[in-house]
Amino acid sequence: MHALEVTLEGLGLAGGVAVSRSGFLVLTYPGSNQPSVRSGEDLRYQLERARRGFDLMENAAHLMNGEYGAGDDDDPESLFDLVLHAQTSFQESCVSFCERADACFRLALDFGRGAALGDDMERFLNGITLDRATALLDGASPANASERDFLVRANDPLPVLP
Amino acid sequence: MTLSLETIRRLHAWRDGKPTPRGNVLNVHITEPEDLLILTFLRMGGESRPWGVAIGTLAEGPQFFTAPEARNRELVGNMMVEVGHLLLSHFDHPDYSDIGPTEYRESIRQVWLPGGTHIEMLQNIAAAYARSRWQRDDIDTLRSLGNLCNALFIENQRPGQQTVISATDALRDCYVFPTANIRQGHLGHLLGWLKPAHSRDEQLDGARTAERKSVATVLNPDVERDVLQPLVERWGLAQKANDENAMATAAQGIHDALTSELRARWQETADAVEFLNADSRKRNVGLRDLVQDSNKYMFKSWGERALREAAGEVPYWPNVFSDNNTRVAGREFQKRNASAQKARYLLVHGDRELQREELAAGHGVIGTVTAVDVKHKRWTVTWTYPELPTLKEADNLAMAGVPSLVLAVVSVDLDSKTLELKPKWSREKNVSGQRYFAADDGRWKGRHLVLLDDAAHGLTERKAVTTGKKFGNDDIVNLLGQNARRHAAYDFEGRVVVDAPEEADVS
């Protein structure tokens, strides 16, 4: 509904066409194929939530070092290009919903980010790359306090049994 | 097992470039091939009932059942009746087997599924059929199938059970995979890591390639859209035109396409079983008791009721959707706590890795017997690990690997790191061919021991019974009710828009 309104406004048709504030929901009970139609649903509140979500996304886009919000933003190809080359912060949850998760995972792996092995690994490595962590585990000397701390934490914390 | 411990293990596995065995024993029971049923489902996008089912024991191989149109509940019902006969006979339902269910079995009837979505399908089937009032001749089969699926779904959530096994969970129990947790829910991904390869990158590529193919109950969208959708449309048009030949041709095409997908899922589950079977590690000795326990639970929650139903009685079948009241929910919560404690207790003595985890959590000590008071039959033990155990007076400690040798904690001195213990046995003992001295034998002095907290699962079981009881009309649990539903005009912060109606008017 919100997307319809934004599109109509973009096309200059907002004055001539009104978007209905009511709709219908089609629901089913679990395990049943029998649809239950609820007509006359007041969708004003869902509309408001969607508007807030879009606003948040736009605010986030404005934070991209001025790359959005100026210049050729209306050109779909430029926007597409902007999204493709934007900096990403790959997380474990991306795998479950994002089309770009595969590419971002590959980038995270290339940069040796712990996130490639999970969010907990990213926190555990605390900025140390996977290659460096592997080298430290294989006996390389720690170069700074962060690496020394990592080695203390990465050693097997379990006791040796008699 | 703490989160950071699991992270460290994963990091070491990444360094090794392959999945690493978890501990020196396997903690998953794999039953005989003729008792091990593999069950996989497929469903149409947006539907909750199956579209196709592969079912068969490891010994006999799969049989495939499909419906040409997953939205036609008559066709799906017909298919599920056939599936029901096989599943009910596997678990010895009295109407579908000559033997009938029993809690005293040497072996265990298991059902293995590829992963979580297939287990959820058990609940969907239960929801569709367990309490169905559908007017058809074979409705009893569908109801029985629904009740069995509900029992299997509930049993699957009980810690330590060995009846319903998810292949992904079994592999994760036995290996540490060098990959993110979220990817470890995909059976193909895990099997990809387990295939022999020359390098870590090769294994990773293999696992990621396998991951692109769905193993869940839904098909890959392109397969459903490009292969199956045209066939289903053709079947629908033929049905409208009453063209039986065209219907049969389209139905065969749908069957072939679904069978190929089902076979892949069935085979991957079988591969996981075979892989674990080929593992040279020993089986945890505690599994024998867990298997007996699983047989008993399954008989109590399902077998006994099925027998009563077959005898013409009207047994109580649990509600598919709800525990119905907070008291029952509380009881079930405590019962699962007790099951978790019991499973840990039964497994920890046969698994040194679990013993190390217990000690790291403070649930026991590594120590030396520094004095044996022969007169009072008391030992003094000085511990070296951990720094701060979670022990207190009146706790019980068992000797690691010998759960029958139990010592009661008389006192704990945290400053001098000493425990005063009272052994609960007296004479010399012979356990599994090993001799253990009498409790007052001075030769215990100087022995290095691993003592583990003897979790009181019996106490939690009693707590479960108490939680389920109603203590009169003033019982505080009587005050607990369902939360009121919230109107869409309100969220957790209050009104969504300024002119939202008063909450009292819309709730």
Side-chain angles (χ1 to χ4, degrees), chain A residues 28-33 42 44-46 48-49 52 90 92-96 101-103 105-106 109 115-121 123-125 130-131 133-134 137-138 150 153-162, chain B residues 3 5 7-12 14-15 47-49 70-71 73 124 127-128 178-183 200 204-205 208 212 321 352-353 355-357 359-360 366 385 448 450 487-491 496-497 499-501:
Chain A
T28 63
Y29 288 100
S32 159
N33 293 335
D42 186 350
R44 276 181 301 157
Y45 316 109
Q46 283 83 349
E48 178 59 18
R49 286 198 178 94
R52 288 180 193 176
F90 177 74
E92 214 173 325
S93 55
C94 300
V95 177
S96 58
D102 214 32
F105 169 76
R106 179 48 69 185
L109 205 57
L117 295 190
D119 297 348
D120 54 338
M121 188 65 77
R123 283 192 298 275
F124 188 80
L125 293 180
L130 280 170
D131 288 343
T134 308
L137 290 176
D138 284 337
F150 163 76
R153 288 184 290 116
N155 280 327
D156 190 350
L158 299 183
V160 178
L161 299 183
Chain B
L3 274 179
L5 177 60
T7 312
I8 294 166
R9 284 174 172 158
R10 200 176 326 133
L11 187 59
H12 283 264
W14 176 258
R15 186 198 48 184
E47 293 301 307
S48 55
R49 293 182 200 199
R71 291 164 290 190
R73 68 178 195 151
N124 286 345
T179 185
N181 280 331
I182 196 163
R183 293 180 189 274
R200 181 179 64 203
L204 177 61
D205 286 344
R208 292 187 64 215
R212 292 195 185 103
F321 298 105
R352 285 170 68 83
E353 191 67 9
Q355 290 171 18
R356 295 168 75 211
E357 285 179 17
L359 290 165
I366 300 174
Y385 187 91
H448 300 292
V450 176
H487 188 266
Y490 288 82
D491 62 15
V496 174
V497 292
D499 62 343

Side-chain angles (χ1 to χ4, degrees), chain A residues 3-49:
Chain A
L4 263 177
E5 284 191 345
V6 170
T7 309
L8 286 173
E9 201 158 319
L11 295 171
L13 299 172
V17 183
V19 179
S20 169
R21 293 284 188 271
S22 65
F24 61 90
L25 301 174
V26 182
L27 307 166
T28 63
Y29 288 100
S32 159
N33 293 335
Q34 189 63 39
S36 161
V37 181
R38 287 171 55 169
S39 59
E41 284 288 314
D42 186 350
L43 299 177
R44 276 181 301 157
Y45 316 109
Q46 283 83 349
L47 168 66
E48 178 59 18
R49 286 198 178 94

Side-chain angles (χ1 to χ4, degrees), chain B residues 210-420:
Chain B
E211 189 186 78
R212 292 195 185 103
K213 206 165 178 329
S214 171
V215 190
T217 51
V218 286
L219 295 154
N220 272 25
D222 56 330
V223 174
E224 185 158 345
R225 186 184 56 234
D226 301 338
V227 180
L228 280 149
Q229 194 176 316
L231 287 167
V232 174
E233 276 175 17
R234 211 175 303 156
W235 184 89
L237 289 173
Q239 191 200 29
K240 274 184 191 160
N242 218 6
D243 182 346
E244 288 193 2
N245 285 339
M247 276 171 73
T249 310
Q252 188 59 46
I254 293 166
H255 179 78
D256 292 346
L258 291 177
T259 297
S260 152
E261 292 282 335
L262 285 164
R263 189 188 299 280
R265 287 159 174 77
W266 194 95
Q267 193 54 51
E268 287 198 348
T269 312
D271 290 347
V273 176
E274 301 286 10
F275 190 88
L276 291 174
N277 253 336
D279 195 305
S280 59
R281 281 177 286 171
K282 285 183 181 170
R283 272 55 182 160
N284 194 320
V285 289
L287 281 173
R288 198 182 48 229
D289 291 330
L290 281 183
V291 164
Q292 284 178 3
D293 229 32
S294 296
N295 275 334
K296 279 184 189 168
Y297 264 91
M298 199 56 200
F299 180 73
K300 204 167 165 37
S301 66
W302 176 77
E304 205 173 53
R305 289 168 179 156
L307 280 171
R308 287 183 59 198
E309 193 170 58
E313 293 180 39
V314 185
Y316 167 76
W317 290 109
N319 193 316
V320 175
F321 298 105
S322 161
D323 283 323
N324 278 330
N325 72 56
T326 46
R327 201 172 283 114
V328 176
R331 184 190 66 200
E332 293 304 310
F333 171 76
Q334 296 295 355
K335 274 166 86 172
R336 282 183 196 164
N337 271 349
S339 289
Q341 286 173 358
K342 190 173 185 182
R344 192 78 176 173
Y345 166 78
L346 290 173
L347 293 177
V348 76
H349 288 282
D351 186 342
R352 285 170 68 83
E353 191 67 9
L354 285 183
Q355 290 171 18
R356 295 168 75 211
E357 285 179 17
E358 285 292 284
L359 290 165
H363 302 154
V365 293
I366 300 174
T368 309
V369 184
T370 50
V372 176
D373 181 345
V374 177
K375 192 177 170 190
H376 297 101
K377 282 189 191 168
R378 290 199 177 174
W379 296 4
T380 307
V381 170
T382 306
W383 79 81
T384 52
Y385 187 91
E387 204 56 39
L388 193 63
T390 59
L391 304 174
K392 59 187 183 307
E393 286 173 17
D395 275 356
N396 285 322
L397 290 170
M399 235 175 258
V402 202
S404 57
L405 294 189
V406 179
L407 305 101
V409 178
V410 179
S411 67
V412 184
D413 187 340
L414 294 174
D415 296 327
S416 62
K417 290 190 175 177
T418 53
L419 291 168
E420 199 181 350

Side-chain angles (χ1 to χ4, degrees), chain A residues 131-148:
Chain A
D131 288 343
R132 181 64 185 154
T134 308
L136 287 167
L137 290 176
D138 284 337
S141 299
N144 52 39
S146 168
E147 291 187 353
R148 276 191 291 278

Side-chain angles (χ1 to χ4, degrees), chain B residues 416-433:
Chain B
S416 62
K417 290 190 175 177
T418 53
L419 291 168
E420 199 181 350
L421 303 173
K422 185 171 176 55
K424 287 192 165 181
W425 76 99
S426 48
R427 293 182 187 169
E428 186 176 283
K429 274 200 158 193
N430 193 325
V431 182
S432 308

